[in-house]
Amino acid sequence: MTSHFLDTTRLVDIILVITVLECAVLLAYTAWTGRGIRAADLLPNLLSGACVILALRLAASGAEWTMVGACMLASLAAHLADLRRRWRG
């Protein structure tokens, strides 16, 4: 028997909150110290991951496949934007 705390959607919610907190802390650190990861370097990468996690959350809760697909497409777009920005040559 699975504990309510270990419910998949609750765990995914916790991961999403941690991701948002990570982003806020990293951006605040950079703003306060002038060192760290610039927003342009951080946001596309975290957005891509957050969209995949959100797609998992939606799938686990029985959402429409179109919503899951939209999150996956948003993740792909953020990932491609990150790759384009980092591409050398």
Side-chain angles (χ1 to χ4, degrees), residues 27-38:
L27 290 175
Y29 176 79
T30 301
W32 288 331
T33 66
R35 299 184 340 227
I37 303 171
R38 296 179 316 144

Side-chain angles (χ1 to χ4, degrees), residues 64-82:
E64 294 278 332
W65 69 267
T66 53
M67 295 300 294
V68 175
C71 287
M72 293 302 292
L73 281 175
S75 177
L76 175 64
H79 178 65
L80 291 176
D82 187 39

Side-chain angles (χ1 to χ4, degrees), residues 42-66:
L42 177 67
L43 293 178
N45 190 305
L46 280 181
L47 180 61
S48 177
C51 286
V52 169
I53 296 167
L54 184 57
L56 172 63
R57 168 66 167 91
L58 289 169
S61 66
E64 294 278 332
W65 69 267
T66 53

Side-chain angles (χ1 to χ4, degrees), residues 10-28:
R10 183 167 305 262
L11 286 174
V12 174
D13 289 343
I14 291 168
I15 293 168
L16 280 170
V17 168
I18 290 169
T19 302
V20 169
L21 290 174
E22 174 190 16
C23 183
V25 167
L26 289 171
L27 290 175

